[in-house]
Amino acid sequence: TISKPENAYGLDDTEYLILLKSLKSGLEYMRQNNIIHRDIKPGNIMLYIHPDGRKVYKFVDFGAARELSDDEKFMSLYGTEEFLQPDMYRKAILRKAKDGEKFGSTIDLWSLGVTLYHAATARLPFLPYGYSRNQACRDKLYKMSTQKKHGVISAEELADGTVIYSDKLPNYCQMSIELRALVTKLLAGLLESNEQFAWSYDNFFDQSAKLLQHEPFPVFQPITGELRLLYIREPTLEKI
């Protein structure tokens, strides 16, 4: 449902916030029950509409899910390669494993970050030029996701081989500029391959809760003739 034609430039503000709230709740439930999904991606998120019209997005396809507490590790490999956490991508796709390498429950956070970026842009965050699942592109994708600077949320290779890194969402996104800025903070934490800066589940739950406390406040700009949305955080009504 996230990949519908009308979402070719990403979700708008209203739909994106419904998605974020739904996925936050779903992930909280999974962590409370020590469950990791291991294949979070747009294709495994479905929209359910209640009889009263309320929308909620739900994680589906738990075929690869397993029980794992925060202090446990596992070695098995599973997932969709473009959404794999970089260390798992290196081992599963590039076949460059480290002796005794194991993975923790936070692998779902990276996959969630890629999914939320895709929902905002309808594109993957790290894109080699002419991307296909060949060895050259796979090597480039891994380098893009692991050699970027702290705070960078996307990288795109041009035809001449130049790689453009960005710490912002693209201008073609359907969501407002103000919401983009708030969402970018989430993406920067989720799409962090450096363990020193990588988020925990508590980081994500805390920061997404703060984002969802914001309420849109329409403001008309007479000079440009635009109606813009400012996001005001309750209860202080302090603009961030």
Side-chain angles (χ1 to χ4, degrees), residues 99-196:
D99 291 340
E101 187 170 25
K102 297 181 181 180
F103 308 99
S105 63
T106 54
I107 61 160
D108 275 353
L109 288 175
W110 177 276
S111 302
L112 178 67
V114 178
T115 298
L116 288 174
Y117 184 92
H118 188 278
T121 65
R123 301 183 61 163
L124 293 170
F126 305 106
L127 273 177
Y129 180 75
Y131 175 74
S132 64
R133 288 181 172 179
N134 59 47
Q135 190 62 40
C137 282
R138 285 167 166 167
D139 286 337
K140 289 178 182 178
L141 190 153
Y142 176 73
K143 289 179 180 179
M144 287 178 175
S145 63
T146 57
Q147 297 181 1
K148 65 185 181 66
K149 293 181 179 179
H150 175 54
V152 167
I153 63 171
S154 66
E156 181 178 4
E157 183 188 27
L158 306 181
D160 63 1
T162 302
V163 177
I164 306 298
Y165 293 90
S166 178
D167 59 1
K168 298 178 177 63
L169 286 168
N171 291 329
Y172 66 75
C173 290
Q174 292 198 73
M175 70 173 68
S176 66
I177 295 174
E178 286 73 16
L179 183 56
R180 276 184 239 163
L182 295 172
V183 169
T184 296
K185 295 178 183 179
L186 286 185
L187 296 176
L190 293 170
L191 297 174
E192 180 55 72
S193 57
N194 187 328
E195 289 186 7
Q196 179 182 354

Side-chain angles (χ1 to χ4, degrees), residues 28 61 73 76 78 87 95 100 117 119 124 139 142 145 156 204 207 231 237:
E28 284 177 325
D61 191 357
K73 301 287 184 180
S76 58
Y78 197 90
D87 288 337
R95 306 297 182 185
Y117 184 92
L124 293 170
D139 286 337
Y142 176 73
S145 63
E156 181 178 4
F204 170 68
Q207 294 302 315
Y231 278 82
L237 295 183

Side-chain angles (χ1 to χ4, degrees), residues 74-75 87 90-91 96-103:
F74 68 97
M75 296 183 67
D87 288 337
R90 171 178 43 75
K91 183 175 181 179
K96 297 178 181 179
K98 297 179 180 179
D99 291 340
E101 187 170 25
K102 297 181 181 180
F103 308 99

